[in-house]
Amino acid sequence: MKKIFFNFTALGLLFVCVAFFGRCHKEYSNEGGPKKYTSVYTLAGAGGKCTGSTLAGKYYMGKALSAANTIQIQADVTIAGSYSISTNTANGFRFSATGNFINTGLQNVLLTAVGTPAATGDFVFSAAPAPECTFSVTISKEPVIMASFAVDCQSAEVNGRLLTGNKLTSVDNISININVTAAGAYSITTDTLDGIYFSASGTFSSTGKKSVTLNGFGAPDLARNLVFSLKDLSSVCTVKVTVTDPDPLAVYVLESGFGNPNPCIYTVSGGYTVNTPLTSSNTVRINVYVTAKGNFTISTATVSGIIFSYSGEFTTTGAQQVTLTGSGTPDTKGVLPFIPEIVGPHPLGGQNCAFYVPVQ
């Protein structure tokens, strides 16, 4: 019996020893794997700017960051093991990284950004644990990819009725056809004439033929036949827009004589000298024939810095004379051609003719 007791005692001691050494040989975490020991390290540049850092990715206001947005910093590792490095949150985003240092010495660590930058500017981040090192990230506006397109000016249609002194509304616009060869943002604007302009902007999501509406802005000062140019296009593109007088509109024609091109019956008054401003004495009298009484405007385009025009009301019908008054300063010597036009409807024809002004 004594021998048997000894054997059971020895067997129990052997079991305890095996269990003890088996436990001491390898520790496991709660997840069932080997327990990872925490490393000991110092961030390069601790106490100042992170040295050897490299920022990657694009950082735009309002655009969520991805795995491509990273910063590589360095750590001087004295004891290998696990690490967890993170920064403060600034302007809506932060950087962080976790992992294991396998070796000691200077090691690279890649921190990934998360979040969405809220504003543009330069923002400072501190990488921790202490002692911390810092780095900055610049946030900018995302660059706009502009579309490529060609404008068909022949397709332009002017909508609405533009009246002197009346502010343009949404019905006063220009519709025009466009052929888009590369998708992207667009902005089309005319020059400003007589206090008004037309503009449209947006994004073409695909290529091909499109129709764009340029909305009108401002309030025209005078009744005019205006020729707007579309800005910043690869080719010259112009659109004619008429600003008319209020109703009732007169019906009439401009009388012309013989010659080429279609000269008016006219008389020029006043002296014209280059670089000398015109006065009220600089006039041109032309003949018209009126069939219906009402408001009217006759105007030329601006030629070499000067223009002739007149707005008024025909109170009688029949043959009459209209005196156009000049304004501006001539900048060119010679005999300058002017083409006065009826501004508004011209159902009788005879919309324009020509006269000539000698400038000394």
Side-chain angles (χ1 to χ4, degrees):
M1 292 295 292
K2 187 175 183 180
K3 186 177 181 180
I4 293 174
F5 174 79
F6 173 79
N7 288 342
F8 274 107
T9 301
L11 184 60
L13 290 173
L14 179 62
F15 176 81
V16 170
C17 183
V18 170
F20 175 81
F21 282 104
R23 177 167 181 158
C24 293
H25 180 70
K26 186 179 290 185
E27 292 188 7
Y28 287 85
S29 66
N30 292 333
E31 288 76 22
K35 185 174 182 180
K36 298 174 182 177
Y37 293 95
T38 302
S39 62
V40 177
Y41 60 92
T42 302
L43 297 178
K49 292 184 178 180
C50 300
T51 57
S53 61
T54 303
L55 186 69
K58 297 178 179 179
Y59 297 79
Y60 298 131
M61 180 182 70
K63 188 168 184 177
L65 303 180
S66 68
N69 299 102
T70 62
I71 185 164
Q72 178 180 281
I73 62 176
Q74 293 181 324
D76 189 3
V77 182
T78 55
I79 298 177
S82 64
Y83 66 85
S84 178
I85 302 173
S86 62
T87 71
N88 56 303
T89 297
N91 194 33
F93 67 103
R94 61 189 289 270
F95 294 81
S96 64
T98 58
N100 283 282
F101 291 125
I102 300 175
N103 302 312
T104 58
L106 203 60
Q107 307 290 322
N108 292 327
V109 183
L110 194 66
L111 282 68
T112 303
V114 292
T116 301
T120 60
D122 296 325
F123 299 90
V124 177
F125 293 85
S126 297
E132 302 171 342
C133 69
T134 62
F135 60 90
S136 65
V137 178
T138 299
I139 306 300
S140 60
K141 290 184 178 180
E142 186 173 9
V144 177
I145 299 175
M146 299 304 294
S148 297
F149 56 89
V151 177
D152 177 13
C153 274
Q154 300 301 317
S155 69
E157 294 184 4
V158 181
N159 303 304
R161 184 183 175 189
L162 283 65
L163 296 175
T164 55
N166 285 10
K167 187 176 180 180
L168 273 58
T169 68
S170 59
V171 300
D172 303 309
N173 58 63
I174 299 172
S175 61
I176 197 164
N177 292 334
I178 290 178
N179 184 29
V180 181
T181 55
Y186 71 89
S187 178
I188 305 172
T189 303
T190 69
D191 46 1
T192 299
L193 301 175
D194 197 25
I196 61 174
Y197 69 95
F198 297 83
S199 179
S201 61
T203 301
F204 294 127
S205 58
S206 61
T207 58
K209 294 183 178 180
K210 314 286 183 183
S211 178
V212 173
T213 298
L214 282 69
N215 292 315
F217 300 90
D221 300 319
L222 302 168
R224 287 286 186 272
N225 289 323
L226 304 173
V227 179
F228 287 91
S229 296
L230 274 64
K231 294 182 176 181
D232 302 324
L233 299 181
S234 58
S235 59
V236 176
C237 183
T238 59
V239 180
K240 186 174 182 179
V241 176
T242 298
V243 178
T244 65
D245 294 297
D247 291 334
L249 294 177
V251 178
Y252 62 103
V253 295
L254 306 182
E255 292 188 353
S256 59
F258 298 99
N260 188 24
N262 186 30
C264 304
I265 298 175
Y266 69 97
T267 303
V268 177
S269 301
Y272 298 84
T273 304
V274 69
N275 297 326
T276 300
L278 302 188
T279 67
S280 59
S281 64
N282 296 109
T283 62
V284 175
R285 181 177 295 175
I286 64 174
N287 289 8
V288 301
Y289 190 86
V290 181
T291 61
K293 296 179 288 185
N295 300 316
F296 74 95
T297 292
I298 301 172
S299 179
T300 71
T302 299
V303 178
S304 297
I306 57 178
I307 184 175
F308 294 86
S309 66
Y310 182 80
S311 294
E313 180 184 2
F314 291 126
T315 58
T316 61
T317 59
Q320 301 181 47
Q321 290 186 326
V322 175
T323 300
L324 309 180
T325 302
S327 61
T329 302
D331 56 20
T332 304
K333 290 183 178 181
V335 179
L336 304 181
F338 290 85
I339 301 177
E341 291 184 297
I342 294 173
V343 178
H346 44 92
L348 296 180
Q351 177 191 9
N352 58 57
C353 54
F355 63 80
Y356 303 89
V357 175
V359 179
Q360 304 300 317

